[in-house]
């Protein structure tokens, strides 16, 4: 691990407007992730964790403050430019797998590479097969999401996030929907792949066990992020 910041934000705020009401969800968040680092964010429901990940990934825009992804300042970019930056450098894993139901595991995993269009269809398939093997799902590659278990679907989602070799994965309660044993297996898989590929991980989780297995744990309280351990 080196100390190059791949993702950072300073004094980040987010205010949602609902009619005349203002909901202040992030209240001056400072956060840095260095290359290869694994970080967990814990905190009560509604404290602002998902909102922070959405902003860091350029899926939504802040009300004030700055975000840099690989040194590039998000606030200077339009939606399309943010999309390109996200596709180049970041991967997402959500609580629900968000796989495309009509496509096989292999096709779902190959999709981000095909969207990038920097490799051939054949190369994308080859790479997708390799990553599916890494998450232990080679034998299920031709199954559609409905033909997979919940844990298997989430492994496919992990493979899809990793297939582009992102510098950082943003995972929002990736095992929130799974039993404890399956959740452990998915985390093990994510942590191993993060180590072998040097991918940084930002994991929002309620799981106290994962918090013991990462370098740093932050806590979000009413839009304020502090170092927990
Ligand atoms: N688009 C929106 N418009 C208005 N309020 C919003 C919007 N999105 C989120 N909020 C509010 O922002 C607050 C933080 O939401 P967020 O989803 O970030 O919480 P969270 O920490 O991820 O919670 P959980 O652990 O339940 O997933 C909540 O009070 C929510 O109601
Ligand atoms: Mg959330």
């Amino acid at each position: 691990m080196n100390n190059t910041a791949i993702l950072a934000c300073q004094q980040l705020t987010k205010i949602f407007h609902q009619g005349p009401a203002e909901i202040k969800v992030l209240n001056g968040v400072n956060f840095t992730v260095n290359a290869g680092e694994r970080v967990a964010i814990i905190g009560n429901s509604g404290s602002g964790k998902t909102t922070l990940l959405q902003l860091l990934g350029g899926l939504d825009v802040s009300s004030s403050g700055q975000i840099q992804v690989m040194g590039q300042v998000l606030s200077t970019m339009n939606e399309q430019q943010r999309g390109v930056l996200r596709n180049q450098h970041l991967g997402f894993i959500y609580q629900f797998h968000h796989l495309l139901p009509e496509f096989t595991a292999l096709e779902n995993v190959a999709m981000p590479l095909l969207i990038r269009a920097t490799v051939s269809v054949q190369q994308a398939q080859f790479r997708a097969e390799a990553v599916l093997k890494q998450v232990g799902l080679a034998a299920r590659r031709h199954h559609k999401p409905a033909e997979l278990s919940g844990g298997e679907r989430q492994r496919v989602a992990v493979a899809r996030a990793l297939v582009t070799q992102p510098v950082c994965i943003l995972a929002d309660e990736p095992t929130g929907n799974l039993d404890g044993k399956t959740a452990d297996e998915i985390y093990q898989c994510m942590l191993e792949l993060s180590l072998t590929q040097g991918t940084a991980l930002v994991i929002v989780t309620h799981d106290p066990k994962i918090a013991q297995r990462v370098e740093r744990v932050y806590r979000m309280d009413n839009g304020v992020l502090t170092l927990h351990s």
Side-chain angles (χ1 to χ4, degrees):
M1 195 190 336
N2 60 42
N3 280 338
T4 314
I6 53 175
L7 194 61
C9 67
Q10 301 88 31
Q11 292 303 318
L12 202 62
T13 72
K14 179 68 180 175
I15 298 167
F16 288 111
H17 298 272
Q18 279 208 321
E22 280 196 345
I23 309 169
K24 194 160 194 179
V25 174
L26 295 182
N27 202 349
V29 170
N30 298 301
F31 184 60
T32 303
V33 183
N34 294 320
E37 208 168 32
R38 283 91 60 83
V39 172
I41 301 174
I42 58 172
N44 291 338
S45 180
S47 58
K49 306 179 298 295
T50 295
T51 305
L52 176 62
L53 286 202
Q54 298 282 93
L55 294 185
L56 292 175
L59 291 163
D60 196 358
V61 289
S62 65
S63 302
S64 66
Q66 275 215 344
I67 302 170
Q68 300 89 30
V69 177
M70 297 300 283
Q72 299 196 55
V73 181
L74 287 193
S75 58
T76 63
M77 298 181 165
N78 64 29
E79 199 176 338
Q80 195 223 339
Q81 290 168 323
R82 292 198 309 271
V84 170
L85 191 71
R86 181 166 59 243
N87 194 250
Q88 270 178 347
H89 298 301
L90 303 177
F92 279 87
I93 306 172
Y94 301 93
Q95 179 172 357
F96 300 99
H97 53 82
H98 288 293
L99 299 174
L100 299 170
E102 65 273 33
F103 292 99
T104 65
L106 185 63
E107 290 164 341
N108 266 287
V109 174
M111 200 68 73
L113 290 174
L114 296 174
I115 291 169
R116 272 183 173 192
T118 49
V119 296
S120 69
V121 174
Q122 208 179 13
Q123 284 171 318
Q125 284 215 344
F126 187 73
R127 168 93 187 121
E129 283 201 23
V131 186
L132 272 173
K133 196 171 167 195
Q134 283 180 303
V135 300
L137 274 187
R140 298 280 187 274
R141 65 190 183 284
H142 297 307
H143 288 227
K144 290 185 177 169
E147 300 155 358
L148 295 168
S149 73
E152 287 170 345
R153 280 179 215 144
Q154 215 49 353
R155 280 175 190 268
V156 177
V158 171
R160 181 185 51 181
L162 280 160
V163 76
T164 55
Q165 296 182 299
V167 291
C168 183
I169 285 187
L170 302 172
D172 195 354
E173 298 187 49
T175 63
N177 211 17
L178 302 171
D179 67 76
K181 181 170 171 289
T182 310
D184 280 352
E185 287 168 8
I186 301 279
Y187 277 131
Q188 190 59 37
C189 179
M190 285 173 64
L191 292 171
E192 276 171 18
L193 288 172
S194 140
L195 272 182
T196 53
Q197 297 198 9
T199 313
L201 287 179
V202 178
I203 307 176
V204 167
T205 182
H206 291 286
D207 189 337
K209 271 187 282 177
I210 185 70
Q212 292 165 7
R213 288 156 74 181
V214 296
E215 280 89 20
R216 275 183 292 136
V217 180
Y218 287 90
R219 189 182 161 81
M220 185 74 90
D221 282 299
N222 289 322
V224 177
L225 191 74
T226 49
L227 196 57
H228 184 68
S229 64

